[in-house]
Amino acid sequence: MYYFATLEEMLIEALRFANDRFLDQALREAEGRPTARSQLLRLIEFGMPSDPAEEPHSQWLLWLDVWARSPRNPTVDIYRRELEGHWMAAYARMSSAARRPASSARATPMTSPFGCRP
């Protein structure tokens, strides 16, 4: 902890580093999909927690620590909200694109995997 004053600062910086890399990777892969709907669904898949047994160095372990500390530590809570906001903004952009009809194809309303319309 030589470079960080507190354990919380170290945790937040570790999560910020892991989250930024993971979100960039998720966006690159999602944007490679052929339709806006499939891009959004792929980003949602990336946003679901993975099994730590399959990914022992998963960023989800850091998220669990941040979520546990957030209600009792206002500084951690601020950074948690900021990092979650990056994902929410990405979902919003892709959701907006998925709702726009394709100009050359017949527009079909987007439905969720559960058959619900937004």
Side-chain angles (χ1 to χ4, degrees), residues 23 63 79-91:
L23 181 56
W63 274 109
Y79 288 111
R80 174 196 58 84
R81 290 172 188 269
E82 175 192 325
L83 293 172
E84 287 175 350
H86 296 213
W87 282 91
M88 288 187 279
Y91 289 137

Side-chain angles (χ1 to χ4, degrees), residues 18-113:
N19 184 69
D20 289 350
R21 288 180 56 203
F22 186 72
L23 181 56
D24 287 345
Q25 174 190 353
L27 288 171
R28 277 193 309 275
E29 183 171 322
E31 289 168 354
R33 297 291 173 115
T35 66
R37 182 179 185 277
S38 65
Q39 291 174 0
L40 177 60
L41 290 175
R42 185 62 182 138
L43 186 62
I44 291 169
E45 288 172 357
F46 262 103
M48 303 303 292
S50 58
D51 182 352
E54 294 176 17
E55 291 184 67
H57 303 293
S58 172
Q59 69 161 335
W60 291 108
L61 299 175
L62 294 170
W63 274 109
L64 291 173
D65 284 341
V66 166
W67 287 326
R69 293 171 192 268
S70 182
R72 292 178 296 284
N73 187 313
T75 302
V76 172
D77 189 56
I78 288 168
Y79 288 111
R80 174 196 58 84
R81 290 172 188 269
E82 175 192 325
L83 293 172
E84 287 175 350
H86 296 213
W87 282 91
M88 288 187 279
Y91 289 137
R93 283 191 310 272
M94 286 196 177
S95 177
S96 176
R99 289 174 186 250
R100 285 193 295 268
S103 59
S104 61
R106 186 177 59 147
T108 57
M110 184 177 137
T111 59
S112 77

Side-chain angles (χ1 to χ4, degrees), residues 1-18 62 65-66 69 73-77 79-80 83:
M1 288 191 6
Y2 296 109
Y3 299 106
F4 302 99
T6 66
L7 179 62
E8 284 78 12
E9 284 181 29
M10 185 171 67
L11 176 63
I12 289 296
E13 285 305 313
L15 180 57
R16 178 178 281 137
F17 177 76
L62 294 170
D65 284 341
V66 166
R69 293 171 192 268
N73 187 313
T75 302
V76 172
D77 189 56
Y79 288 111
R80 174 196 58 84
L83 293 172

